[in-house]
Structure formats: structure tokens, C-alpha cells
Amino acid sequence: MSAKKIVQTFLVSSLIAVMAAACSDSKENTAQSQEAKKDAGQLVFVDWGGTNTDARVSQNIKPFEEHTGISVTVVTPSDYAKLIAMVENGTTEWDVMNCDAYWGVYAGSKGYLEDIDYSIVTIKLDKAVELQHVVGAEVYASVISYNSNKYTSETAPKNWAEFFDTTKFPGKRAMWQYPVTVLEAALLADGVPMDKLYPLDLDRAFAKLDTIKDSIVWWTKGAQPSQMLATGEADLALAWSGRILTAQDEGSPVALNYNEGMRIAAGWVVPKGAPNKENAMKFINFVSKASQQAAFSSQIPYGSTNPDAVKLLSAEQVDRIGQNPEQIKHEFYIDNNYWAEHLSEVTERFNAWLLNQ
């Protein structure tokens, strides 16, 4: 055999050996990756249920499981009292829960929550929702909504002052049986500017509520306002934007107005003593990505806490969730710190007012 032939044979043999080794390494790395995912652990996720959780599972939880190998158990609904009871009894079973951000601030101040580990949660969000014990998940708004068979966008109330005007707009109003946003709506109706609401003038707010107390029907679950509007139990409602838009998509005769909308950030919290705390932080970071928030908003019309997520949505989608620049000018975030500090005392007064109606 010639020297040239020997060299060629040696090169081919070497190439085959290198390729075989690479293939072996690749298989080994894949096996190691699969093994790592298999041992990645688990996570107990708590959410509100309904269409909100359906969207969360399909758009966020399944991709998280596929990406990390962490197995997620979904529990519904979010339950503030149960979280507190578990922590106080040292029997925490949940790892991450969706809640209103103001409640997260409150619960964190009382020692019921873990600090957010910002060495793991590194995705940058709206600074207003990057807090010590809670991270913003999505944004919804408490808005004026109405039966679209009775009113059009032109004839329906355009602000809270009109919502409280029972002469011009007779009939029942459905309102949340809870002080948050109800007291803000009353003060807005009484002429207080959005940027001057806090601290809330409680005497003034309750006095304004007194003017429509006979026209109020109360709701306690997010799905109820759209049902009340559709059945005619109420013509107008203070309701959560995403619930109204979802009902509208399903054919219910309901619509909304974002003017003077009260924006509430829902957030992620990790209960004190969570058994899978690190996985909880990984989950929060994953679902905070712009692509993940945009996917969620595409399925259910809630806003984003990641400014880059909005850029991934169509103009029509942005309008629907109330996050175009013109809409934002006429909306405001409720004050998380105010409600964290005063929630207990204001709720007690609100409940006493309900009993005296």
C-alpha cells in the first residue's frame, strides 16, 4: 500500500472514531439531561381556577414542565386564609400562589411569606411590582361594565360619577362585596382625582356609597358580574376586566369601559416554609419572561407586568387588555402599600357598614 493510501486510511479511521465519540458524548449528555430533568423535583402551584387557570396551565405550566422537568401539581382556588393557617401551623404544602399584590405586601409584612430570591428571579418587570415578598404576575382592572343589550359604548356610563348616578342610569349595580376598589370608585364618583385618592377618605367614601346602597347587588366571585349582567339581575357592574372580556368572547351581552379603570397587579408569592422554595423561584422567573406573559395574555385578556410582553402582542390585543398609551393615561394602579397597611381595619368597617344597610 502506498504512503498516500496509508495516510488516507488513517484520516478516515480517525474521522470515524471522532464521530463515534461525539455521538456517544451526545447520547450521554442527552441521557444526563433527561436524568437531571427526571430528578428535578416538583412544585405545588395554587391559582384562582376557571379560565384563568386553564390559560396558565396551557401557556405557562406545561412549557415550564417541559423546559425544567419539574412536575407541577395545580391546586385551586387561591385561599388566603388557608395559606395563613398552614404557615401558622407549620404545615405548609404549597410552593407558589397567585394573589393580589396588595395582599402579598400585607401577608409578607406579617411574616407569612418568603422573601423573593432575586438571584433566581432575574427577569426585569415593572418596578411597581418587583417587591420584597411578591412579584407581579399579570394585571387586571376593576372597570365599569354593562349589559350591551341595554347600553352601547355611547350610552353607557363613561366614569364612576355616572355609574353612581341612579337618576340618569336607573337600575341595579353589581359591586364587589369587598372594600378594595369599591371605596376608590365611590371617591372617584364624588370628585376625587385619581392621583389624590390615597390615603382614602373613608367617611367620604361610605357617605357616597350610602347614596346608591338600595341599588347595589353584591358579588363575591369573579364570574358573577357577567352572569348578573347577562341575566338582567344588574344593568351595570364594577367587575374585573378579564372576566367581562372572556364572557363577551363566549357570547354574553356584556361590555366594558376602561376609563378610570383601577389596575390591580396579581402577583406570585411563596408561602413561608414552602417545601420546594427553589423550584418556586425558578417558576416565577420562567413565567415572568416576555414570551410567557404574552402567551398568557393571548389566551385570556389580562395585561402584562413585563413591558416587553406588550411588544409581542397585536395592537388589537393591546387595546383589549387596556394597555395602549392612551388607555393607560386614564387608569391607575391601586396603592398596594395603603391596602397592606389598612386592609384589616377597612374591611372590618366595610363589613359593619354592610350589616347596617
Side-chain angles (χ1 to χ4, degrees):
M1 182 182 293
S2 68
K4 182 177 179 181
K5 193 70 172 177
I6 292 172
V7 170
Q8 288 176 336
T9 301
F10 173 76
L11 290 175
V12 170
S13 299
S14 298
L15 180 60
I16 291 172
V18 169
M19 291 175 67
C23 184
S24 176
D25 287 345
S26 177
K27 289 180 180 178
E28 185 176 347
N29 289 338
T30 299
Q32 289 174 347
S33 176
Q34 290 173 341
E35 189 65 26
K37 282 188 176 182
K38 187 171 69 174
D39 297 332
Q42 58 188 353
L43 177 75
V44 177
F45 166 79
V46 189
D47 200 23
W48 295 102
T51 54
N52 190 77
T53 300
D54 291 343
R56 188 70 69 191
V57 169
S58 65
Q59 300 302 324
N60 294 159
I61 291 176
K62 287 183 178 178
F64 174 74
E65 288 180 316
E66 291 169 1
H67 181 75
T68 64
I70 296 170
S71 175
V72 179
T73 299
V74 178
V75 175
T76 61
S78 293
D79 188 324
Y80 298 164
K82 186 170 182 179
L83 182 149
I84 289 172
M86 285 195 298
V87 173
E88 288 182 342
N89 294 328
T91 57
T92 303
E93 299 174 356
W94 298 346
D95 298 307
V96 60
M97 184 177 84
N98 187 282
C99 69
D100 290 314
Y102 64 83
W103 186 85
V105 176
Y106 164 79
S109 72
K110 301 298 183 183
Y112 296 119
L113 304 176
E114 300 282 355
D115 285 357
I116 299 299
D117 186 346
Y118 284 104
S119 69
I120 298 175
V121 182
T122 58
I123 301 296
K124 296 304 177 186
L125 304 176
D126 184 333
K127 288 295 182 185
V129 292
E130 286 184 347
L131 305 171
Q132 182 179 355
H133 299 104
V134 58
V135 176
E138 71 262 20
V139 178
Y140 65 95
S142 280
V143 295
I144 297 167
S145 55
Y146 52 91
N147 181 313
S148 56
N149 286 336
K150 179 162 185 176
Y151 293 109
T152 68
S153 59
E154 296 300 318
T155 62
K158 295 178 174 57
N159 52 52
W160 292 108
E162 292 189 347
F163 183 92
F164 273 68
D165 186 343
T166 56
T167 301
K168 185 177 179 181
F169 301 95
K172 296 293 186 180
R173 285 105 166 96
M175 300 188 80
W176 193 11
Q177 194 172 308
Y178 199 61
V180 181
T181 69
V182 169
L183 297 183
E184 283 94 337
L187 290 171
L188 290 166
D190 206 41
V192 179
M194 290 189 298
D195 61 350
K196 303 293 184 183
L197 282 170
Y198 301 99
L200 299 181
D201 185 334
L202 298 180
D203 290 341
R204 186 172 176 179
F206 283 108
K208 189 64 177 178
L209 281 174
D210 280 337
T211 67
I212 65 166
K213 62 183 180 181
D214 294 334
S215 298
I216 298 174
V217 290
W218 298 103
W219 58 265
T220 57
K221 296 179 181 179
Q224 289 177 308
S226 58
Q227 295 167 358
M228 290 174 167
L229 292 173
T231 61
E233 185 177 351
D235 297 322
L236 305 172
L238 178 156
W240 299 336
S241 55
R243 295 285 189 164
I244 295 297
L245 292 171
T246 299
Q248 189 181 69
D249 289 342
E250 294 170 351
S252 290
V254 295
L256 60 77
N257 175 8
Y258 278 111
N259 188 45
E260 297 184 339
M262 296 169 277
R263 306 184 78 209
I264 303 174
W268 303 118
V269 295
V270 178
K272 199 76 172 178
N276 300 289
K277 174 182 169 182
E278 185 174 343
N279 283 349
M281 299 300 171
K282 291 177 181 178
F283 175 83
I284 293 170
N285 191 61
F286 181 84
V287 298
S288 295
K289 295 178 181 179
S291 59
Q292 289 297 304
Q293 288 205 5
F296 180 73
S297 293
S298 295
Q299 181 162 332
I300 188 167
Y302 285 117
S304 304
T305 58
N306 186 328
D308 291 333
V310 179
K311 300 173 186 176
L312 301 178
L313 300 175
S314 69
E316 181 183 1
Q317 288 173 319
V318 173
D319 289 347
R320 286 199 81 211
I321 62 177
Q323 284 195 282
N324 73 47
E326 187 59 31
Q327 289 167 323
I328 293 294
K329 288 180 186 176
H330 303 287
E331 302 171 41
F332 67 96
Y333 269 119
I334 68 166
D335 190 322
N336 291 322
N337 291 321
Y338 173 85
W339 281 112
E341 184 176 351
H342 300 286
L343 182 62
S344 295
E345 66 190 75
V346 176
T347 300
E348 184 176 339
R349 180 169 175 179
F350 181 80
N351 289 338
W353 177 81
L354 286 173
L355 290 174
N356 291 325
Q357 282 194 84

